[in-house]
Amino acid sequence: MENKLDFESPTDTGGIQLRTRQAWLADSVELLSSMRFAISILVLIAIGAVIGTVLKQNEPMPNYVNQFGPFWYEVLDKFGLYSVYSAWWFLLMVGLLVVSTSLCVIRNAPKMLKDMRSWRDNVREQSLRNFHHRGEWTSAQQPATVQQRAQQLLASLGYQQKLVAKDGATLIAARQGAANKWGYILAHSAIVVIVLGAMLDSELPIRLQRWFGGKVPYEGAGIIANIPEQHRLPLGNPSFRGNSLIPEGSSSNTAIITQSSGVLIQDLPFTLQLKKFHIDFYSSGMPKLFASDVILTDHETGKKTEATIKVNQPLIYQGIAVYQSSFEDGGSRLQVQTYAMTGDSATGTSLKGEIGGSTPLTAADQQQYSIEWTGFRPFNVENMAKNGTDVRAVDTNKSFNERLSADLSKQLGSAAKNVNTKEFKNVGPSFQYKLRDQTGQAKEFMNYMQPMLIDGDYMILSGVRESTADGFRFLRIPADDNDSVTEWMRLRAALHNKALREKAADRFAASALPASMANSGDMRQQIQASAANSLAIFAGNGQDAGFVAISRYLEQKIPAADQAKAADVMIKILNGSLWNLWMLAREQEGLPALEMTDKHARFLQLATTALSDAAFYHAPVYLQLRGFDEVKASVLQITRSPGKNVVYFGCLLLVLGVFAMFYIRERRLWIWLKADGQGSHILMAMSSQRKTLDFEKEFAQLSQGLTAIAQEAKP
């Protein structure tokens, strides 16, 4: 009969396909559970963690655009690098790690458990002779006696034993430390448990609701209660981490969860009302303690619970923890004085604002602006230490133009920062606002209320920046005798009054000539023209003003070899003219002239520098804080993290697993006994997973014990 394989048989084809599918599945499981796959996934997760550490996460979009540019922002955004730990690829890597480790445990745990219960008693005499750690003895005693004595020895050393009769001999199989394999099982299981707990507390539940539940981040503004349902997360949301800002006397029953493209609203099963916000300070002015007195009202039962939430002392209610995160302004009301930074008016006008609101403003140039009140701080702790360096220092190695127009950051930089020494001090209140023009462009400002003592002089600081990604550059306005900006504003307005400049130049020319030349009309006219010209150039137009304008004028009009000498003369004329201009401005307002004292001379010097720097201030008005009614607000972090206990359990498993792996040593021992003439022949072999000094000592101890047994005389 001919044997034939018919490949067209449906049965046979189906069998081949089934075996192919089984082989493919087996290969896939083998790959996923392999060590090389797990290590590869760990490397990718480590790379993601490095990116998440180096690159600031969950920053506002404009910050990334300013840092990387529009093109690279889009590229990096496609890979989710601005929120690495919730990016799809990172979650995929973590999921694959869970699958790989789980398969490893599923495949190997049964084998390990079986091996733990096994006595490995299928050995033979010849195989024991192949062990590295072995020993042989002969004894005059009978095998039964040797067996009894050997079992007593093993029992004293803590070995479990089993007797097996085989091939006319007796095998004593012994083991100790079999629980070592629990270490591998527990350690690998701990990785799975910890990762699952971490994923439960991550953004994955929210991501799943966004992908499959129709939840969409809210990108607009408005009353929280009116936000549609598709932007709100349900009470049953398993885990979340959000913030709630509550002003004193107000309440909230939601938490705001920030997303890359907006926010999600998490409804809470209770309402939190902030009764009082407390803050204590150190003597230096730095905050020492802040806490919130709250009333929690349960929506279901109506029960009210009063509590005080402090840093590291959260309020926990129905599995939801409320932490004291920080504090903000809750809508403080400000009273400010506005001064024009353009034109020849020095008169200030009163204005009121509320943090979080906006106020329309008509500038001196009749342009319409909007003041957006963004922040208020009743205290500011700054490092006021001196390092002996004047930020307005002139580098004599630079050209005249470079020296006069030195780096603006030095002129406008905050002298309150010093990296060499530290001397923290509370410098008083400050407020922030944005000045937005009709085109929608805005600059942000931060003004201090009180003068600061900087390098021996009291200065009033006003910071400006074009973007939130930039640091503030500070204009330093010298404080007058009344600790205000009034005199500097008066001088600034007079500088832009052509008639007053002409009078000041004429008065300077009259005072500059000696008595013997008082009647020299031509000389006086020349000095008057030079003074008027110096004032006009210094007043300038826009950014082309101040010392930069003077430098540019000298480069155009004076040969390079004579520029330094001409500059000294021009600066002296400018200083004298500015003093007369200041006095004329005071006389115009009915105020007495001031004496030329060192204090007033120093004020004029600082005021001149500030007038030059004002060309880079880029603002039509300056706002000075006159008073405020503070409203405090507490920022509470509200979390539900059921995965926390899961992670704790995983950490316990990991500790037990590591302890079992490193401190429990598995040892296997076999003693082969058989009759040998009138006595016995003893063959002992021993093995361990790790060959250590302790193992060598234990083998020597067993060898000595068996030697003693073998040498015992026959009774």
Side-chain angles (χ1 to χ4, degrees):
M1 182 176 179
E2 183 180 359
N3 294 326
K4 181 178 181 182
L5 177 62
D6 185 3
F7 285 99
E8 296 181 359
S9 170
T11 303
D12 292 340
T13 303
I16 293 173
Q17 292 176 347
L18 177 61
R19 288 193 296 272
T20 302
R21 287 195 296 268
Q22 289 176 341
W24 178 85
L25 180 61
D27 291 341
S28 300
V29 172
E30 178 68 28
L31 173 63
L32 290 174
S33 60
S34 65
M35 182 178 292
R36 64 181 184 276
F37 183 83
I39 293 176
S40 301
I41 294 298
L42 283 173
V43 169
L44 293 176
I45 292 176
I47 293 174
V50 170
I51 295 174
T53 302
V54 174
L55 182 62
K56 289 184 178 181
Q57 300 290 287
N58 301 311
E59 291 283 303
M61 181 192 70
N63 291 9
Y64 295 119
V65 175
N66 292 334
Q67 183 176 359
F68 302 110
F71 174 77
W72 286 109
Y73 166 79
E74 293 290 343
V75 173
L76 298 179
D77 186 51
K78 293 295 183 182
F79 292 95
L81 298 187
Y82 307 129
S83 183
V84 169
Y85 303 113
S86 59
W88 64 267
W89 58 269
F90 190 83
L91 295 176
L92 176 62
M93 294 299 103
V94 174
L96 288 174
L97 178 63
V98 171
V99 171
S100 176
T101 310
S102 300
L103 288 175
C104 181
V105 173
I106 292 171
R107 292 186 63 197
N108 296 306
K111 300 177 183 178
M112 291 184 176
L113 294 174
K114 182 179 178 181
D115 186 66
M116 289 168 58
R117 295 190 298 268
S118 172
W119 292 95
R120 301 184 186 177
D121 55 0
N122 56 347
V123 297
R124 297 186 177 276
E125 181 179 6
Q126 185 58 41
S127 63
L128 294 179
R129 297 184 186 278
N130 295 326
F131 278 68
H132 177 73
H133 291 80
R134 69 181 185 278
E136 293 189 61
W137 300 267
T138 57
S139 174
Q141 302 189 66
Q142 294 299 313
T145 304
V146 175
Q147 171 192 318
Q148 182 181 6
R149 298 284 288 114
Q151 286 185 289
Q152 291 175 354
L153 174 63
L154 295 177
S156 67
L157 296 176
Y159 278 86
Q160 295 177 314
Q161 308 166 37
K162 179 183 178 182
L163 291 176
V164 180
K166 56 192 314 182
D167 299 336
T170 300
L171 175 67
I172 303 177
R175 66 188 181 194
Q176 190 180 61
N180 169 271
K181 289 186 171 55
W182 276 110
Y184 296 92
I185 298 173
L186 293 178
H188 285 74
S189 300
I191 295 175
V192 176
V193 172
I194 291 173
V195 172
L196 288 177
M199 292 180 70
L200 185 59
D201 281 353
S202 69
E203 279 199 355
L204 184 59
I206 295 177
R207 284 294 183 107
L208 293 175
Q209 294 180 70
R210 289 183 58 181
W211 292 337
F212 307 109
K215 300 300 180 180
V216 181
Y218 183 68
E219 300 182 16
I223 301 175
I224 293 179
N226 297 334
I227 294 178
E229 188 65 26
Q230 65 266 28
H231 307 300
R232 311 178 77 95
L233 299 175
L235 294 175
N237 186 19
S239 68
F240 59 84
R241 180 177 286 101
N243 293 315
S244 183
L245 187 149
I246 310 176
E248 286 182 330
S250 300
S251 60
S252 172
N253 59 2
T254 58
I256 307 301
I257 301 175
T258 303
Q259 301 289 289
S260 58
S261 58
V263 297
L264 289 170
I265 310 300
Q266 173 63 60
D267 291 318
L268 302 175
F270 51 77
T271 296
L272 282 171
Q273 179 185 359
L274 180 62
K275 291 175 55 182
K276 183 70 176 176
F277 181 77
H278 306 276
I279 182 167
D280 296 330
F281 302 92
Y282 291 104
S283 58
S284 63
M286 297 186 68
K288 177 173 62 176
L289 170 70
F290 44 94
S292 301
D293 293 337
V294 300
I295 300 176
L296 184 149
T297 304
D298 190 295
H299 292 169
E300 185 175 350
T301 64
K303 179 182 177 182
K304 295 182 180 294
T305 304
E306 294 192 14
T308 298
I309 305 173
K310 301 179 181 179
V311 177
N312 298 326
Q313 297 182 22
L315 168 64
I316 300 177
Y317 187 82
Q318 294 184 355
I320 299 178
V322 183
Y323 296 88
Q324 180 67 63
S325 176
S326 62
F327 54 92
E328 294 290 345
D329 189 89
S332 296
R333 294 172 290 274
L334 309 180
Q335 299 89 46
V336 302
Q337 193 83 357
T338 67
Y339 294 93
M341 292 293 285
T342 59
D344 57 3
S345 174
T347 304
T349 59
S350 298
L351 193 66
K352 294 183 178 181
E354 182 175 325
I355 300 301
S358 63
T359 303
L361 174 71
T362 302
D365 56 2
Q366 301 305 311
Q367 295 291 323
Q368 297 297 319
Y369 294 89
S370 174
I371 303 176
E372 300 172 2
W373 312 94
T374 58
F376 169 73
R377 293 180 62 89
F379 58 88
N380 290 271
V381 178
E382 300 283 0
N383 182 12
M384 302 301 295
K386 296 181 180 180
N387 63 352
T389 301
D390 185 358
V391 297
R392 296 176 300 277
V394 176
D395 186 349
T396 55
N397 293 324
K398 294 183 179 180
S399 67
F400 176 74
N401 180 47
E402 292 173 328
R403 285 186 278 122
L404 287 183
S405 58
D407 187 3
L408 182 61
S409 63
K410 294 183 179 179
Q411 297 285 349
L412 300 183
S414 172
K417 296 184 178 180
N418 187 309
V419 297
N420 296 329
T421 56
K422 294 181 179 180
E423 184 181 326
F424 293 107
K425 183 180 179 181
N426 183 3
V427 296
S430 69
F431 71 105
Q432 290 182 225
Y433 62 94
K434 289 183 178 180
L435 195 62
R436 193 175 300 276
D437 61 21
Q438 292 175 307
T439 65
Q441 299 297 315
K443 290 185 176 65
E444 188 174 14
F445 299 84
M446 182 174 73
N447 294 354
Y448 289 88
M449 182 179 184
Q450 300 173 355
M452 297 185 199
L453 183 61
I454 301 176
D455 296 335
D457 301 300
Y458 283 96
M459 313 291 287
I460 299 175
L461 302 186
S462 177
V464 58
R465 65 182 179 185
E466 284 71 27
S467 168
T468 55
D470 301 328
F472 283 103
R473 297 169 297 144
F474 286 86
L475 173 65
R476 305 175 186 181
I477 302 176
D480 56 26
D481 293 341
N482 296 319
D483 290 333
S484 71
V485 298
T486 302
E487 291 298 332
W488 186 83
M489 288 295 176
R490 180 177 289 119
L491 180 58
R492 187 215 61 79
L495 184 63
H496 291 82
N497 187 318
K498 184 177 180 180
L500 277 182
R501 292 202 306 265
E502 295 292 338
K503 291 181 180 179
D506 185 67
R507 182 175 293 187
F508 171 76
S511 62
L513 286 174
S516 59
M517 302 180 63
N519 297 323
S520 177
D522 292 340
M523 182 65 68
R524 177 172 178 173
Q525 186 175 2
Q526 291 179 7
I527 296 176
Q528 192 274 341
S530 297
N533 186 47
S534 298
L535 288 173
I537 294 173
F538 190 77
N541 182 18
Q543 292 188 24
D544 191 13
F547 294 130
V548 174
I550 290 178
S551 173
R552 186 176 294 110
Y553 172 81
L554 291 174
E555 285 184 342
Q556 294 174 354
K557 301 294 184 178
I558 306 298
D562 299 328
Q563 285 181 13
K565 183 178 180 180
D568 291 337
V569 174
M570 193 170 187
I571 293 300
K572 291 179 180 178
I573 294 175
L574 176 65
N575 289 335
S577 301
L578 284 174
W579 172 263
N580 286 280
L581 181 65
W582 183 18
M583 295 304 103
L584 280 172
R586 289 180 58 85
E587 292 174 11
Q588 189 176 11
E589 297 184 21
L591 298 174
L594 300 175
E595 296 183 7
M596 176 59 86
T597 63
D598 292 341
K599 179 179 179 181
H600 292 149
R602 178 60 175 169
F603 174 85
L604 182 62
Q605 178 186 0
L606 298 173
T608 304
T609 301
L611 288 171
S612 177
D613 295 340
F616 301 94
Y617 189 62
H618 303 311
V621 293
Y622 165 80
L623 305 185
Q624 186 175 34
L625 183 62
R626 294 296 190 184
F628 57 88
D629 297 316
E630 183 186 6
V631 178
K632 299 176 182 177
S634 178
V635 179
L636 303 175
Q637 185 183 79
I638 305 175
T639 66
R640 175 183 281 158
S641 52
K644 176 177 63 177
N645 295 328
V646 177
V647 172
Y648 288 159
F649 177 68
C651 291
L652 176 61
L653 293 181
L654 185 60
V655 171
L656 293 176
V658 171
F659 180 85
M661 284 191 295
F662 286 96
Y663 294 99
I664 299 179
R665 296 177 295 109
E666 182 183 18
R667 284 94 72 204
R668 297 279 183 167
L669 178 69
W670 297 269
I671 300 178
W672 187 280
L673 298 174
K674 67 178 181 180
D676 183 15
Q678 297 300 317
S680 305
H681 181 267
I682 308 170
L683 172 62
M684 183 268 285
M686 189 177 182
S687 70
S688 177
Q689 289 181 324
R690 295 193 303 272
K691 304 298 189 294
T692 63
L693 291 176
D694 290 337
F695 174 75
E696 298 291 344
K697 291 179 180 179
E698 188 170 350
F699 176 75
Q701 184 179 5
L702 282 166
S703 298
Q704 291 173 3
L706 290 174
T707 300
I709 293 173
Q711 292 176 353
E712 290 181 358
K714 183 176 180 181

